[in-house]
Amino acid sequence: MHTPDTDSPEAMAGVLALVLVADTTLSSEELQALDELGVCDRIGLAHPAFMAIARGFEARLAQRVGSPDAPRLPDPALVNQVLDRVHNPGLRLLVARLAAGLIVADGRVRGVERRLYLHMLSRWGLSEWLVAEAIRAERRPFADALAEP
């Protein structure tokens, strides 16, 4: 598997792809959220390239995890290797914000998704509060525009 450069679009895509396939499958709702959140545009990677990364992780995790009925956190060394490819604090916050949107896209948050997300925040020195504030700040201009007469 290709090792992306630090802070590259491919490195960010790796983290988000891992979040997407943490439960071993890519749901149609998650794929729709990928487009609705503008993930590929926001990280600067073409959709087909992102999907190739996601499908690669999906296949890799399916081999290691086994049954999608009982997913468990992927190999911690792999998770940390993928997370450690994103160093820039601003990019980490962006990826965490996008990950938060992706893990709720299918209407449920499985335990493995939550554990992976919390591990990511801890490893990167982020808090759920900080991510929530960043999401609110991003939405605020839209709310302000709607409130104007």
Side-chain angles (χ1 to χ4, degrees):
M1 191 167 183
H2 164 73
T3 302
D5 293 334
T6 299
D7 293 335
S8 66
E10 292 83 3
M12 291 183 285
V15 174
L16 293 168
L18 195 56
V19 167
L20 278 175
V21 300
D23 61 358
T24 69
T25 58
L26 282 167
S27 73
S28 59
E29 295 89 356
E30 290 169 329
L31 294 175
Q32 183 177 349
L34 189 69
D35 292 333
E36 289 174 358
L37 293 170
V39 169
C40 294
D41 289 338
R42 295 177 79 182
I43 66 171
L45 190 67
H47 190 267
F50 181 93
M51 290 308 299
I53 292 168
R55 295 284 182 213
F57 276 117
E58 184 179 37
R60 197 168 170 185
L61 292 179
Q63 290 174 345
R64 291 184 179 192
V65 174
S67 169
D69 297 328
R72 61 182 190 274
L73 196 60
D75 174 29
L78 170 65
V79 172
N80 289 338
Q81 182 182 38
V82 171
L83 292 174
D84 291 347
R85 291 183 188 134
V86 181
H87 289 205
N88 179 291
L91 295 178
R92 285 179 170 182
L93 186 56
L94 170 63
V95 170
R97 287 176 11 223
L98 294 171
L102 292 173
I103 65 171
V104 299
D106 60 5
R108 65 183 184 277
V109 179
R110 296 185 76 160
V112 67
E113 293 169 318
R114 178 97 175 125
R115 287 190 303 277
L116 178 58
Y117 181 72
L118 292 175
H119 178 74
M120 175 183 65
L121 295 182
S122 174
R123 186 141 183 110
W124 286 353
L126 300 173
S127 68
E128 290 180 272
W129 178 86
L130 180 62
V131 175
E133 284 300 306
I135 291 169
R136 277 191 279 281
E138 184 177 349
R139 291 181 178 165
R140 198 165 295 122
F142 299 110
D144 291 346
L146 291 174
E148 291 183 14

